[in-house]
Amino acid sequence: MIFKIGTFSKLSGVSVKTLRYYDQRGLLQPDTIDKFSGYRYYSAEQLLIIQRIIDLKNRGFTLEEIKSLLAEDVSPADVKKSLTAKQLELQQFIKEAQSQLKEINSGLERIKDLDDQSSTVPTAIRNVKSQLVASIRDIIPRSHLCLILDEIKQYVREHHEDENRSLNVQWHNNDFEDDLIDVEVALPITKKIPGSDRVNIHFWPELIQAASLVHWCDPYHSSCSALAELATWISSNGYRPSEAEPIREIYLTADQDLYGKLRRAELLIPIENS
């Protein structure tokens, strides 16, 4: 019994377009082709072949792999080799997928924590404890800030410290032209590690009292309304900025959780009584 391609498509559940593609790839060619009309005809026996193709696709085999498995001279040893190779490939895929799923789950937990904190945080005065950091200070164009942040992350990673801790930034004297900034970036570390001509391992000093404002910002943009907002609050509440320590900022959104341009940050201005 033979069937036109449309009927064979309905019987097999495989589209006409796919059947033509299988023909082009030499995977399943029509039993006969009418030389006058060009109609393609498939045999009943080929329904078994198309089901084998579907089954092998469902196991993850590519069309080229399926083609070799359907060859008339394929041996049991060849089949065993192909199945074993596919088994190892799928096991590796599952392992990688599980690792990716773990990262996704961790990301969702961190996003949930940020979402829980997304309500307005009132401006406050707080103490900031001294902490051991690895830091780099340099005078750079603001557009290069991302490079120096990446540099300090890479350095602590190479010394087996967690690069995903909250990045800290101290803004020093910025009275430069051409958008240059005097900036120090730092990552908290748990133990003393070797320093270098670029990286300083030291304790950032305690801020006895600092005005704190949690906000969303683009750290690579030259203007931030949070600075003016916090400066106004300081003046209105009988304080003045202290010149003993530079303005500090803590990036609460880790790089791995940064999906847009904005990240959640805490702006800290050291203060003293007027």
Side-chain angles (χ1 to χ4, degrees), residues 13-192:
V14 177
S15 70
V16 170
K17 182 179 179 181
T18 300
L19 289 172
R20 292 182 184 275
Y21 181 64
Y22 287 170
D23 181 15
Q24 293 173 3
R25 297 291 298 270
L27 192 63
L28 180 66
Q29 296 175 327
D31 185 69
T32 58
I33 299 177
D34 190 302
K35 62 181 180 179
F36 298 108
S37 65
Y39 288 159
R40 299 161 181 259
Y41 293 93
Y42 291 82
S43 66
E45 290 78 7
Q46 287 181 303
L47 286 171
L48 174 60
I49 298 175
I50 198 68
Q51 289 305 315
R52 290 171 63 194
I53 293 172
I54 293 171
D55 178 58
L56 290 168
K57 281 190 65 179
N58 289 338
R59 297 188 204 179
F61 286 97
T62 65
L63 294 185
E64 284 302 314
E65 291 168 338
I66 292 171
K67 186 177 179 180
S68 65
L69 288 170
L70 294 179
E72 290 184 4
D73 59 349
V74 65
S75 68
D78 292 332
V79 174
K80 181 179 179 181
K81 182 179 179 180
S82 294
L83 290 176
T84 301
K86 183 58 62 176
Q87 180 187 55
L88 293 174
E89 179 186 324
L90 292 175
Q91 286 173 343
Q92 180 62 29
F93 175 80
I94 291 171
K95 182 179 179 181
E96 292 174 357
Q98 287 175 334
S99 176
Q100 292 167 351
L101 182 60
K102 183 179 178 181
E103 289 297 320
I104 290 291
N105 289 337
S106 297
L108 285 171
E109 287 297 321
R110 292 192 297 270
I111 290 295
K112 179 179 181 299
D113 291 340
L114 281 175
D115 194 44
D116 291 342
Q117 301 167 9
S118 61
S119 56
T120 302
V121 179
T123 303
I125 297 175
R126 77 177 187 91
N127 171 263
V128 181
K129 300 297 184 184
S130 173
Q131 61 181 348
L132 180 65
V133 299
S135 74
I136 297 174
R137 182 175 176 178
D138 203 353
I139 297 173
I140 57 172
R142 181 175 286 272
S143 61
H144 290 185
L145 179 58
C146 57
L147 300 179
I148 196 172
L149 291 173
D150 185 68
E151 183 180 351
I152 194 63
K153 284 165 64 71
Q154 181 176 334
Y155 189 87
V156 301
R157 180 173 67 247
E158 290 173 351
H159 288 82
H160 311 293
E161 286 282 337
D162 185 3
E163 65 180 287
N164 292 312
R165 294 190 180 100
S166 296
L167 281 162
N168 287 245
V169 179
Q170 286 195 148
W171 306 97
H172 295 274
N173 175 31
N174 290 327
D175 295 331
F176 297 100
E177 297 180 355
D178 301 325
D179 201 32
L180 292 177
I181 54 174
D182 181 356
V183 65
E184 183 178 7
V185 301
L187 272 172
I189 52 178
T190 59
K191 60 183 182 298
K192 285 274 189 177

